[in-house]
Amino acid sequence: MSFPAAEMRHNDKIMCILEERERKDKKNLCRAINDFQQRFQKPETRREFDLSDPLSLKKDIPARQSDNDIRNTVSGMQKFMGEDLNFYERKKFQEEQNREWSFQQQRERRNARAVQKCAENLYTETMLQFDETARHLQKLESATKKAVCAAVKEFNKNQAMESAARKKQEKKQEEEDNLAEISSLLHGSLLSENPQQAASSFGPHHVILDRWKGMTQEQLEQIRLVQKQQVQEKLRLQEEEYQRDMDWDRRRIQGARANLLLERQQLRQQRDLRRALDSSNLSLAREQCLQKKYMNEVSRSQPTEDYFKQFNSRGR
């Protein structure tokens, strides 16, 4: 499987997770709005509910029961300015209520700042962990390169020592072969002549010149056979030397190719690591943006809820 396909699959997985999280956030927001409407926006709490209340006749009471009667409107002329008996208590209650709302808003702001600070600290710790991981991987990569360089150097040193020893052995073998060849030629029938053809009665070092007719055909064939064998042996030695040189050249090429493949593999691993780090950073950035967006939406929706509460209290 190629790396772009794996990256696309990883990005699709991240997008699915983000969409699922956004869907859950919308669902929770709708649920909170419904709960708020059911708790604080009931039909009977509306200001104009008395116009459409089906039980209005059953609930009908005298024109004025107390100063807190919600039916004492201006047109009813049941209560005038200065006739409010609970003015001080109502004013004190409103002040307490405003102070409680102010405290509540301050607590919510402190909680929001604490959540944001916690998220920022988490993001900072995550980035520090990523940096530490990158440094650790860089150290491992450097150690691996040093080990590879040391192994290559040791291998080259061993190859050079083996090559020097092989050349020395070949030179020694060549000298021994040359000495053997010279000795064979000196003691052969070609140079020494066969004393049996011109044997003399005066000793083995004397020959009868008028009887010596040269070497026989068997002697010549023997000399040719020995020369042919020497030529074949020399060709065989040359072929073995050529094969050894080819073998060493092939080994050196394979070693260089293995080093090149190792370097390529390290480059691919480093590129994959960088891609994984970039993808993780992108995911964290998206999560941070979504969290900030959610916090902003919560902070914008909270004043609306406070406004509904204040409006309902004034309606009562």
Side-chain angles (χ1 to χ4, degrees):
M1 185 177 292
S2 61
F3 290 104
E7 186 177 2
M8 291 176 63
R9 188 171 65 253
H10 183 67
N11 293 333
D12 293 338
K13 185 176 180 180
I14 292 175
M15 290 301 297
C16 291
I17 293 173
L18 293 177
E19 290 177 359
E20 181 66 19
R21 186 176 297 173
E22 184 178 2
R23 186 181 64 80
K24 290 182 179 179
D25 293 338
K26 289 182 179 180
K27 184 177 180 181
N28 292 332
L29 181 60
C30 293
R31 184 181 298 168
I33 292 173
N34 291 331
D35 293 337
F36 176 80
Q37 290 178 352
Q38 290 178 4
R39 292 176 59 187
F40 303 102
Q41 294 182 351
K42 296 180 180 180
E44 55 270 356
T45 60
R46 297 177 182 175
R47 184 172 55 183
E48 64 275 7
F49 178 73
D50 57 343
L51 300 177
S52 60
D53 187 5
L55 303 177
S56 59
L57 296 178
K58 293 182 179 180
K59 296 178 181 178
D60 194 11
I61 56 179
R64 179 179 181 182
Q65 290 181 340
S66 64
D67 292 337
N68 297 325
D69 194 351
I70 60 175
R71 298 177 304 129
N72 292 336
T73 59
V74 176
S75 61
M77 301 178 66
Q78 297 295 325
K79 183 176 67 174
F80 297 94
M81 186 66 66
E83 295 182 358
D84 187 4
L85 300 178
N86 298 324
F87 172 75
Y88 295 102
E89 290 80 1
R90 177 172 52 81
K91 185 176 180 180
K92 185 177 180 181
F93 175 75
Q94 290 177 353
E95 290 176 354
E96 291 291 337
Q97 190 176 20
N98 291 330
R99 185 164 54 254
E100 183 65 25
W101 288 349
S102 177
F103 290 159
Q104 184 178 1
Q105 290 178 357
Q106 292 177 4
R107 287 194 299 270
E108 290 176 355
R109 291 194 185 97
R110 286 196 298 269
N111 293 333
R113 285 195 295 269
V115 171
Q116 184 177 3
K117 186 176 181 181
C118 181
E120 293 176 354
N121 293 334
L122 180 61
Y123 176 76
T124 303
E125 292 178 359
T126 305
M127 294 302 296
L128 291 176
Q129 290 179 0
F130 283 156
D131 294 339
E132 185 66 24
T133 304
R135 286 195 296 269
H136 180 65
L137 293 176
Q138 188 175 5
K139 289 181 181 179
L140 290 179
E141 182 180 0
S142 177
T144 304
K145 287 184 178 179
K146 289 182 180 179
V148 170
C149 292
V152 171
K153 185 177 180 181
E154 186 68 21
F155 177 77
N156 293 332
K157 183 179 180 181
N158 294 332
Q159 292 291 327
M161 293 175 62
E162 291 179 1
S163 179
R166 186 178 68 257
K167 289 181 179 179
K168 184 176 180 181
Q169 183 66 26
E170 291 176 355
K171 185 177 181 180
K172 182 178 179 182
Q173 185 66 31
E174 185 178 1
E175 290 177 355
E176 292 178 355
D177 293 341
N178 292 334
L179 291 175
E181 184 178 1
I182 292 171
S183 178
S184 176
L185 291 175
L186 290 175
H187 296 86
S189 299
L190 180 63
L191 298 179
S192 62
E193 297 183 354
N194 190 1
Q196 299 297 329
Q197 295 182 359
S200 175
S201 60
F202 294 101
H205 298 289
H206 295 273
V207 295
I208 302 174
L209 298 177
D210 58 344
R211 294 183 181 180
W212 189 67
K213 300 298 182 180
M215 293 180 292
T216 61
Q217 188 67 28
E218 290 79 8
Q219 291 176 343
L220 294 175
E221 290 293 334
Q222 185 67 24
I223 291 172
R224 294 190 184 95
L225 180 61
V226 172
Q227 290 178 347
K228 186 176 180 181
Q229 290 177 354
Q230 291 175 353
V231 170
Q232 292 178 355
E233 181 67 18
K234 189 173 183 179
L235 291 174
R236 185 182 65 79
L237 293 176
Q238 291 178 355
E239 181 65 23
E240 289 179 357
E241 183 178 2
Y242 176 74
Q243 291 295 332
R244 285 195 298 270
D245 293 337
M246 292 295 293
D247 187 24
W248 286 111
D249 291 337
R250 185 170 61 255
R251 290 183 181 181
R252 285 195 295 271
I253 293 172
Q254 290 178 354
R257 185 178 299 171
N259 293 331
L260 181 60
L261 292 176
L262 181 60
E263 291 179 358
R264 290 180 178 176
Q265 184 178 3
Q266 291 177 352
L267 290 176
R268 285 195 298 269
Q269 291 177 356
Q270 186 176 6
R271 186 166 58 251
D272 294 340
L273 177 61
R274 289 179 179 175
R275 288 180 178 176
L277 289 175
D278 293 339
S279 178
S280 299
N281 292 333
L282 180 60
S283 177
L284 289 174
R286 289 179 178 175
E287 291 180 0
Q288 186 70 16
C289 291
L290 290 175
Q291 189 175 8
K292 288 183 178 180
K293 183 178 179 182
Y294 176 73
M295 294 303 299
N296 292 332
E297 290 180 356
V298 171
S299 62
R300 285 197 302 268
S301 63
Q302 187 62 37
T304 305
E305 182 178 352
D306 296 336
Y307 175 76
F308 287 152
K309 291 180 179 180
Q310 187 176 4
F311 182 79
N312 291 330
S313 64
R314 290 179 180 179
R316 294 190 185 91

